[in-house]
Amino acid sequence: TSAEQRHGHRLVDQAGRLRGKIVTFKAHQGERIVNVVDRSGNQRVRALTHTDFTYRGADGEIQRGPEVPVEIMSMFATAFSDSTVTPERICPVGDDTVVIEFIGKGTNDGEFMGMAATGKPVELLVCTVLQFRDGALWSEHEYIDFATMLRQLGALPALAAV
């Protein structure tokens, strides 16, 4: 761990202490959700999801309902059965929000969004903004570079060298 990373972790810890226990709880809640997603614990995700949950993905479309996180997890688990999620950075923002950057990895061994399995590996940086209300996950805005994913799967041509 570099000195810069250690300093960054200290700043997040200090910010959590300055903002009080709520921010610390939210950061841990966000980390717990990432861990649950990584282990595909659908029942646990439902238990952590607010009944008024909303999700906005890379396409900008909004999906509503407490089943949405489970459906999204299931879609990725079906398409990438060996998938892993590794948090790179967890940053509390205000009293009710956590931003998480993570690396998603897996081999495409199942149907994905209408495409047949390719057998190709994918590694992708994802950023998700989680907002909590009443102690539960209330909304998620997820930013994924699907063009990179589609290139890795062979569905789009590689970019020309500059």
Side-chain angles (χ1 to χ4, degrees):
T1 308
S2 71
E4 184 178 333
Q5 287 173 318
R6 285 192 302 276
H7 178 69
H9 288 298
R10 277 196 301 274
L11 289 177
V12 169
D13 289 344
Q14 289 171 354
R17 282 194 295 277
L18 290 173
R19 291 185 183 132
K21 293 179 182 178
I22 292 174
V23 171
T24 303
F25 168 75
K26 299 308 179 194
H28 290 298
Q29 187 88 336
E31 187 170 352
R32 192 167 72 188
I33 286 173
V34 169
N35 290 337
V36 167
V37 168
D38 194 29
R39 287 188 301 252
S40 299
N42 292 347
Q43 294 299 325
R44 291 176 58 200
V45 170
R46 278 189 196 98
L48 294 170
T49 304
H50 198 282
T51 55
D52 295 330
F53 176 80
T54 60
Y55 172 85
R56 184 179 71 195
D59 61 1
E61 295 294 319
I62 295 176
Q63 299 176 50
R64 300 180 191 284
E67 294 297 318
V68 172
V70 172
E71 291 166 2
I72 292 167
M73 283 174 38
S74 295
M75 176 185 69
F76 279 100
T78 298
F80 305 92
S81 65
D82 65 346
S83 64
T84 61
V85 175
T86 306
E88 293 285 306
R89 193 177 331 184
I90 300 174
C91 303
V93 180
D95 290 342
D96 64 353
T97 304
V98 178
V99 177
I100 303 174
E101 288 182 317
F102 62 88
I103 302 290
K105 293 182 183 181
T107 305
N108 180 221
D109 56 0
E111 186 262 327
F112 179 65
M113 301 178 81
M115 297 184 315
T118 64
K120 295 183 178 186
V122 168
E123 182 172 329
L124 196 61
L125 178 63
V126 180
C127 183
T128 188
V129 180
L130 305 176
Q131 193 171 13
F132 296 88
R133 187 172 285 171
D134 304 324
L137 179 59
W138 179 67
S139 77
E140 177 179 7
H141 293 188
E142 193 161 55
Y143 303 91
I144 301 173
D145 182 1
F146 274 112
T148 295
M149 177 187 273
L150 292 172
R151 281 188 193 87
Q152 292 175 3
L153 294 173
L156 286 178
L159 293 174
V162 179

